[in-house]
Amino acid sequence: MLLFIAAVIPAMLMTLLSNKKVNELVTNYEHQSLVEKSRNYALSTFSNIAFARSRLKDLSKETNASGIDTMQETSINFSSQKTLIFRSITEVSSNGVILKGDIKKQISKVNLQQLENVDSNKMRLIVLSGDTHNKTSSINLIQRQSSNKSAISFLIAELEPNFLWGDTRDYPSDFNICAYQLSNTLRTKLFCSNEKNISNTPLASSPLNNGAWELFLRGEFGEDPWVFEVNRVVPITQSHLKEFVGSKAYISIAILSLLIIGLLSLIQIRKTMIPLETLVKGTKKIALGDFSQVKVSGSSEFSELADAFNHMSSHIKHQLNTLESFSNIDREIVSKIDVEQVSHLVIERMRLLEPDAIFCIGHLEEKSSSELQCKCTISGHAALSDIRLSMTAKEVDTIKRYNDGRIKQPSLTSAFAHETLMAELGVNHMWVLPIFWQGEICAFLAMGSKKNLDANSKYWPEFRELAGRVAIVISAHAREQKLLLEAQYDNLTGLPNRILLQDRLKIAMEHADRDNNPMWVVFIDLDHFKVVNDSMGHSVGDALLTEIGKRLQAEVRESDTVARFGGDEFVIVLASNVDENIKLNILNRLMTSISAPIKISNHELINTCSMGISTYPNDGTNPETLIKNADIAMYRAKEVGRNNYQFFTQALNDKAAERMEIISLLHKAIENNEFELHYQPKVDLETFAIVGLEALIRWNNPTLGNVAPAKFIPIAEEIGLIATIGEWVLRTACTQLAEWQKSGFGKRLMSVNVSAKQFHLDNFVETIKSVLIETGTKAEYLELELTETLLMNNTTNTLKTLLEIKELGIQLSIDDFGTGYSNLSYLNTLPIDALKIDKSFTDTITSNTKKLPIVDTIIDLAKNLNLKVIAEGVESAYQVEYLIAHACDQIQGYYFSKPLSVEDITKMLVSDKNFKEPKLKLVKAPRKNTRTEK
């Protein structure tokens, strides 16, 4: 019953709605037809007006062409122009005087303002209301005229009503057509076809019986718009429609239609609901993960819908299985980068889709110039699971061109290894797909089958997606290996870096605990490696480090570890499985190998190294301590002369701790004003007068006390503070020299030592200039003392800097001459003023007569080069006599004075004390006085 009601109620509603809709359609149609009639009459009237305007323009041209004054009679007879178009034509002057033509009373109604508004280019249409005798309004066209005397007149033509509106007998009798002029709120009647039949009832104004159209005239004629209305003389009412709806025939047809609709609805509902219920149950099963098929009998639309539903269900099941497989593979890739495991998962998924096929995934690994090694994962063949193939470069290039896959026929006689392999597995057809990553082939997929393969198989897209997963895991594995290599191995030498060294040390310590035998950690630092970098460039330095790494690796055993610790530092872990004698032999071999000449870029380099050794467990129980203690021992090897090895001791550890404390306190020494300068006099050996002073730095720290320069200066050079300290020394010495000179203590030379790092700074010369200007010191009283090693390195730039310094007027001397690696040929080219004989040679005057010729030779060399020669470290009268006898110019040492503070040296300068000659008399050599001022 409910289904019947559900069918009948919509039918009844449709009936009512159709009745309403018919009413609306009839009403709209009738109204539109009346509007269309109004439009047609309006446009017809407009056409008549336009034609009349055209005719009046022609008359206007004829009048103007006559050339006669408008105040006189013209040759044109307006009476003759009366036609079916115009009822009358009159010419009126601009002041309203009628010049000629028909004189009508209504003409007087045309006021002057209306005439003034008439444009010469546009004709005006004016409606004149009728009088009491003639209630009909007249329609007039006004055209502006001009004569030769520029008198202005107007042609006023009244339109013939029958021409304008047409003959009223031609209008349909059942309609009344009227025209009205709209002006503001006024409504002026112009014309009606049948005034007697105008209906004034409300029904006449309903849409069924009335239609209107507005004719816009302002643009063409400057007149207010006209409205044309069409009214039915005999109105149509709604009762006609009601009679039709209320008739017995309509009611009978409606009831019968409802009954038929209800019956058909019941039948159709029964046929529809059962299949729908089946489909709804199937949809609920899909939501629960049950993708079983639904069955709908017959061949209706619902059976087609059921087929589509079953296809969709099958497709969803396949997609979910695919997504699950991809998810498992991706999870495996994320959790652990295992190429073989991912390959097996991919093959398992493919076998679910093609159970009878054999799959092979080949992973390209080692590559040479002619062939590649390929590791293959195979399914569907119990005897073979993982095998290796040797593939030629040509074979790989061929597979690369298969793009999205290609079907092939394998053969045992094929030149390609992968085709031969598939033929051996017993397949007749194969599909080969190259696997790319970032444009390079990294693997391939081969699927073999005994039956023909479809080039348009629906599984190919999924196989390509699965192959993409293989590419991802292969690339991830390669990236992981590369990152591991970069993280644990040195980029330059390929040796283990600090990170991997820590692991190797831990393993070696475990082996040492197991073997109960000490393990050694050897810390190696190349001697004077910075000289190679500075003089020959970093490329030569890098090549040297690479070669040293290879030599170290060649001299140790496989169980040992050679690592690059940083810069020119290497660490070797000597395993615990051999005794100490073998380890000592290894150390000696290492030193011999490093010291062997190395030829790089036409340079033959001879290197030495300093080694420090710590042992486990005696010198440390963790990698950090062992490396630190070996580093301390290495510094001890450098201190005792380099090119040797030293074992770590507790005394060295104490010394290293002291060194670290010095480093910590040295950074704040200048800020805390802990440095001061002492000055040691230089005495002329002819006059025994003080001719110069050497500024020597002293450090008095509240914690450490007085720290000797020999202790903190090398450390300052290592940690990069020597340039800052050197600038402080230069500025302080120049300031003090300027004060002494202002006090009248004579013109004495101030000598300042310059370190190599300070000298090679880009702004070194500019710093000197700035100090001289700030302190007011004259450059001619400043002397810079430079070491031989400094002068021999990077000679081109060194010479350039020396010349710039000499241009300032500063004097230059070589300090500790004879202790470095001098190239005597440079002495003749460098702008040097003096040589200082090192104390080690001065001491030989009294201690070792065999070395006396060295002192003589240095003095003679200086004299021959016109250089001043100064002996430092003079402590005895015998040395003084000897130097005087051999024509040395100046001496400096404790025999005359130790370095003194500013106060003490000032007192000495104030007393202007000359030193007496020593009592010991030697036979003096003739003093060579051939040196000229430079």
Side-chain angles (χ1 to χ4, degrees):
M1 187 63 185
L2 290 175
L3 292 176
F4 177 77
I5 294 173
V8 170
I9 289 177
M12 294 178 65
L13 291 175
M14 288 299 296
T15 302
L16 295 175
L17 290 174
S18 63
N19 178 39
K20 181 179 179 182
K21 194 63 179 177
V22 167
N23 246 336
E24 291 177 357
L25 290 174
V26 170
T27 301
N28 290 338
Y29 176 77
E30 182 63 24
H31 176 68
Q32 288 298 324
S33 64
L34 294 177
V35 170
E36 186 65 23
K37 285 180 179 291
S38 302
R39 176 177 176 275
N40 292 336
Y41 285 118
L43 293 178
S44 177
T45 302
F46 182 82
S47 296
N48 293 338
I49 296 173
F51 181 78
R53 176 179 62 180
S54 175
R55 180 58 188 147
L56 185 59
K57 282 183 178 181
D58 293 339
L59 292 175
S60 174
K61 291 178 181 179
E62 294 176 8
T63 303
N64 288 333
S66 64
I68 301 174
D69 193 322
T70 55
M71 297 300 295
Q72 300 175 2
E73 286 296 331
T74 66
S75 61
I76 300 176
N77 187 357
F78 285 161
S79 298
S80 65
Q81 303 301 324
K82 294 179 182 179
T83 64
L84 295 176
I85 300 175
F86 302 110
R87 175 178 290 181
S88 64
I89 300 174
T90 306
E91 184 176 2
V92 181
S93 66
S94 59
N95 54 7
V97 176
I98 298 174
L99 302 177
K100 59 182 176 178
D102 295 334
I103 300 175
K104 299 284 186 179
K105 291 182 179 180
Q106 63 264 32
I107 297 301
S108 62
K109 296 180 181 180
V110 179
N111 57 46
L112 296 178
Q113 184 177 2
Q114 286 177 314
L115 293 177
E116 290 176 357
N117 292 335
V118 176
D119 193 302
S120 60
N121 296 323
K122 183 183 292 186
M123 194 173 291
R124 183 77 182 272
L125 181 69
I126 296 179
V127 177
L128 300 177
S129 301
D131 52 21
T132 54
H133 300 286
N134 185 10
K135 295 181 180 181
T136 303
S137 300
S138 65
I139 311 303
N140 298 272
L141 287 172
I142 302 178
Q143 172 67 44
R144 187 185 184 107
Q145 291 282 95
S146 297
S147 68
N148 291 337
K149 297 182 179 180
S150 300
I152 299 174
S153 63
F154 303 90
L155 290 180
I156 302 175
E158 181 183 358
L159 296 179
E160 176 63 41
N162 286 339
F163 167 75
L164 181 61
W165 309 111
D167 193 343
T168 56
R169 291 174 296 181
D170 296 334
Y171 284 83
S173 59
D174 54 343
F175 292 97
N176 187 30
I177 295 92
C178 294
Y180 301 92
Q181 182 184 35
L182 299 179
S183 178
N184 296 329
T185 58
L186 297 178
R187 179 182 171 97
T188 304
K189 184 180 73 173
L190 303 177
F191 167 76
C192 278
S193 63
N194 191 356
E195 294 188 14
K196 297 180 179 180
N197 294 327
I198 296 177
S199 175
N200 295 320
T201 62
L203 186 62
S205 61
S206 67
L208 277 171
N209 303 296
N210 186 30
W213 180 270
E214 184 176 296
L215 181 62
F216 190 77
L217 298 173
R218 189 173 302 281
E220 288 291 325
F221 298 99
E223 185 61 37
D224 293 328
W226 293 359
V227 175
F228 286 78
E229 290 184 356
V230 178
N231 297 292
R232 282 188 176 276
V233 176
V234 180
I236 295 178
T237 64
Q238 299 287 346
S239 60
H240 298 101
L241 294 173
K242 291 181 180 178
E243 289 176 1
F244 168 72
V245 174
S247 64
K248 292 181 179 180
Y250 179 83
I251 295 174
S252 300
I253 292 172
I255 293 174
L256 180 61
S257 298
L258 290 174
L259 291 175
I260 294 172
I261 290 172
L263 179 62
L264 294 176
S265 298
L266 288 175
I267 296 172
Q268 190 62 31
I269 288 170
R270 181 174 179 80
K271 289 183 179 181
T272 302
M273 292 305 296
I274 294 175
L276 281 177
E277 185 178 1
T278 303
L279 292 172
V280 168
K281 290 181 179 179
T283 305
K284 291 180 179 179
K285 288 181 179 180
I286 289 178
L288 298 174
D290 183 0
F291 298 94
S292 57
Q293 302 286 299
V294 298
K295 296 181 180 180
V296 175
S297 59
S299 58
S300 64
E301 292 85 353
F302 286 100
S303 62
E304 294 178 2
L305 181 60
D307 292 338
F309 180 87
N310 290 333
H311 178 74
M312 178 193 71
S313 174
S314 176
H315 184 68
I316 292 174
K317 180 180 180 181
H318 175 75
Q319 290 295 326
L320 290 176
N321 290 337
T322 300
L323 291 174
E324 184 179 3
S325 298
F326 284 167
S327 176
N328 293 334
I329 294 171
D330 293 342
R331 191 160 45 247
E332 183 68 23
I333 293 174
V334 172
S335 63
K336 182 177 63 174
I337 301 176
D338 188 337
V339 177
E340 292 186 14
Q341 179 63 21
V342 171
S343 297
H344 282 296
L345 291 175
V346 167
I347 288 176
E348 286 179 9
R349 173 59 184 168
M350 291 178 178
R351 292 200 66 192
L352 287 175
L353 303 177
E354 291 284 358
D356 298 329
I358 294 177
F359 294 92
C360 171
I361 294 179
H363 174 204
L364 304 179
E365 294 180 338
E366 302 173 8
K367 181 178 182 181
S368 65
S369 58
S370 59
E371 65 178 24
L372 293 87
Q373 293 297 317
C374 176
K375 184 176 181 181
C376 297
T377 303
I378 301 175
S379 71
H381 202 286
L384 298 173
S385 57
D386 294 324
I387 65 171
R388 301 187 72 85
L389 292 178
S390 294
M391 301 176 64
T392 63
K394 179 181 179 181
E395 182 175 355
V396 175
D397 290 338
T398 301
I399 295 175
K400 284 172 63 176
R401 292 194 291 269
Y402 291 167
N403 295 326
D404 292 335
R406 183 174 297 181
I407 296 175
K408 304 276 291 182
Q409 288 187 335
S411 172
L412 292 173
T413 60
S414 174
F416 293 158
H418 71 285
E419 294 183 4
T420 304
L421 173 63
M422 296 304 287
E424 291 173 350
L425 295 176
V427 301
N428 299 323
H429 305 275
M430 64 183 294
W431 181 71
V432 183
L433 174 71
I435 300 175
F436 295 96
W437 181 255
Q438 294 183 346
E440 291 294 328
I441 184 170
C442 60
F444 69 90
L445 167 66
M447 186 193 84
S449 176
K450 293 184 177 181
K451 60 183 179 180
N452 290 332
L453 296 176
D454 183 7
N456 299 316
S457 173
K458 64 180 180 180
Y459 296 128
W460 296 155
E462 184 170 341
F463 286 175
R464 294 188 187 99
E465 287 286 335
L466 291 167
R469 295 302 196 276
V470 176
I472 291 173
V473 72
I474 288 175
S475 67
H477 178 73
R479 188 163 54 250
E480 184 182 59
Q481 293 299 315
K482 182 179 179 182
L483 291 174
L484 182 63
L485 187 66
E486 292 176 351
Q488 296 186 345
Y489 289 87
D490 178 56
N491 290 332
L492 179 63
T493 63
L495 298 174
N497 60 13
R498 293 189 183 192
I499 298 174
L500 186 55
L501 176 63
Q502 295 279 339
D503 294 336
R504 297 284 179 86
L505 272 172
K506 291 177 182 178
I507 296 172
M509 291 164 60
E510 293 174 359
H511 289 170
D513 292 335
R514 183 189 61 202
D515 299 338
N516 197 23
N517 204 16
M519 176 267 295
W520 289 8
V521 176
V522 183
F523 199 104
I524 302 175
D525 184 270
L526 300 181
D527 297 330
H528 305 295
F529 176 74
K530 188 177 184 303
V531 176
V532 177
N533 265 347
D534 291 344
S535 60
M536 301 180 186
H538 288 278
S539 59
V540 175
D542 290 346
L544 175 61
L545 291 175
T546 304
E547 179 61 26
I548 292 294
K550 292 178 182 178
R551 292 188 177 189
L552 295 176
Q553 190 75 45
E555 296 299 334
V556 301
R557 302 157 301 165
E558 290 186 1
S559 58
D560 301 327
T561 297
V562 179
R564 186 186 179 198
F565 195 72
D568 60 334
E569 299 173 337
F570 297 86
V571 173
I572 298 178
V573 180
L574 298 179
S576 59
N577 55 358
V578 294
D579 60 25
E580 292 185 356
N581 292 326
I582 295 177
K583 293 174 183 175
L584 288 173
N585 288 334
I586 293 174
L587 292 181
N588 292 323
R589 290 203 310 269
L590 289 171
M591 297 198 72
T592 302
S593 177
I594 290 175
S595 61
I598 298 175
K599 192 170 184 179
I600 300 173
S601 300
N602 298 324
H603 300 286
E604 187 172 80
L605 305 177
I606 298 177
N607 306 277
T608 61
C609 69
S610 301
M611 294 185 182
I613 303 101
S614 64
T615 62
Y616 173 81
N618 296 334
D619 298 333
T621 56
N622 57 68
E624 293 80 9
T625 304
L626 288 170
I627 293 173
K628 183 194 74 170
N629 291 339
D631 188 18
I632 293 172
M634 183 272 296
Y635 274 103
R636 176 57 183 166
K638 285 187 176 295
E639 288 177 1
V640 298
R642 293 182 169 86
N643 195 25
N644 69 95
Y645 56 82
Q646 297 288 323
F647 284 87
F648 173 79
T649 63
Q650 188 58 43
L652 291 179
N653 192 34
D654 295 340
K655 190 174 182 180
E658 181 187 18
R659 181 175 180 274
M660 293 303 297
E661 187 176 15
I662 289 175
I663 290 174
S664 176
L665 296 174
L666 197 58
H667 280 89
K668 296 183 179 180
I670 294 179
E671 181 182 341
N672 296 336
N673 199 26
E674 296 175 7
F675 290 126
E676 63 176 330
L677 290 185
H678 284 197
Y679 301 90
Q680 189 173 34
K682 292 180 181 180
V683 178
D684 185 90
L685 286 181
E686 288 186 358
T687 63
F688 285 90
I690 299 174
V691 292
L693 300 164
E694 181 179 2
L696 300 170
I697 190 169
R698 296 293 183 263
W699 181 23
N700 185 11
N701 181 263
T703 302
L704 302 176
N706 290 321
V707 185
K711 185 176 288 187
F712 72 84
I713 290 296
I715 295 176
E717 289 180 344
E718 292 177 17
I719 64 177
L721 281 178
I722 192 63
T724 304
I725 294 174
E727 183 178 345
W728 179 87
V729 171
L730 178 64
R731 192 180 302 277
T732 305
C734 288
T735 301
Q736 187 60 53
L737 177 61
E739 290 181 3
W740 281 333
Q741 290 179 348
K742 290 178 182 178
S743 300
F745 294 148
K747 299 178 180 180
R748 292 177 174 84
L749 201 64
M750 177 65 74
S751 298
V752 177
N753 292 283
V754 176
S755 71
K757 290 187 177 180
Q758 183 183 8
F759 181 84
H760 290 299
L761 290 175
D762 293 337
N763 63 340
F764 178 59
V765 177
E766 295 299 323
T767 300
I768 295 174
K769 292 179 182 178
S770 175
V771 168
L772 293 176
I773 294 172
E774 290 176 13
T775 61
T777 303
K778 293 183 179 180
E780 60 189 276
Y781 298 120
L782 176 64
E783 180 184 53
L784 300 182
E785 295 189 3
L786 312 170
T787 64
E788 286 182 275
T789 305
L790 182 156
L791 295 173
M792 294 305 106
N793 292 336
N794 197 6
T795 55
T796 302
N797 291 334
T798 300
L799 181 59
K800 178 184 176 183
T801 304
L802 290 174
L803 292 174
E804 290 178 359
I805 294 173
K806 287 298 295 180
E807 287 179 1
L808 298 176
I810 298 172
Q811 297 193 41
L812 299 170
S813 68
I814 299 179
D815 193 16
D816 302 331
F817 184 78
T819 60
Y821 301 92
S822 298
N823 187 337
L824 297 180
S825 65
Y826 281 112
L827 291 177
N828 201 31
T829 59
L830 296 176
I832 303 300
D833 297 287
L835 296 180
K836 289 188 74 173
I837 302 174
D838 186 69
K839 184 179 184 300
S840 62
F841 296 110
T842 306
D843 290 342
T844 62
I845 295 174
T846 56
S847 63
N848 190 345
T849 57
K850 291 182 179 180
K851 291 187 178 180
L852 288 178
I854 297 178
V855 177
D856 299 344
T857 302
I858 294 174
I859 295 174
D860 291 339
L861 175 65
K863 295 299 180 179
N864 290 329
L865 294 175
N866 291 329
L867 299 177
K868 182 171 58 179
V869 59
I870 305 152
E872 61 180 349
V874 177
E875 298 179 351
S876 68
Y878 185 84
Q879 291 172 328
V880 175
E881 287 291 340
Y882 183 88
L883 293 170
I884 291 174
H886 287 80
C888 182
D889 294 306
Q890 298 175 13
I891 57 174
Q892 176 184 348
Y894 276 39
Y895 176 79
F896 294 104
S897 174
K898 66 179 182 179
L900 300 175
S901 65
V902 174
E903 293 79 9
D904 292 339
I905 200 70
T906 301
K907 292 177 182 178
M908 181 180 291
L909 294 174
V910 169
S911 65
D912 197 16
K913 176 181 178 181
N914 288 340
F915 294 95
K916 295 181 179 179
E917 291 190 44
K919 295 179 180 180
L920 181 61
K921 297 294 182 179
L922 297 175
V923 178
K924 294 185 178 180
R927 294 183 63 85
K928 299 179 181 179
N929 198 17
T930 59
R931 183 174 65 86
T932 59
E933 294 297 329
K934 299 186 68 175

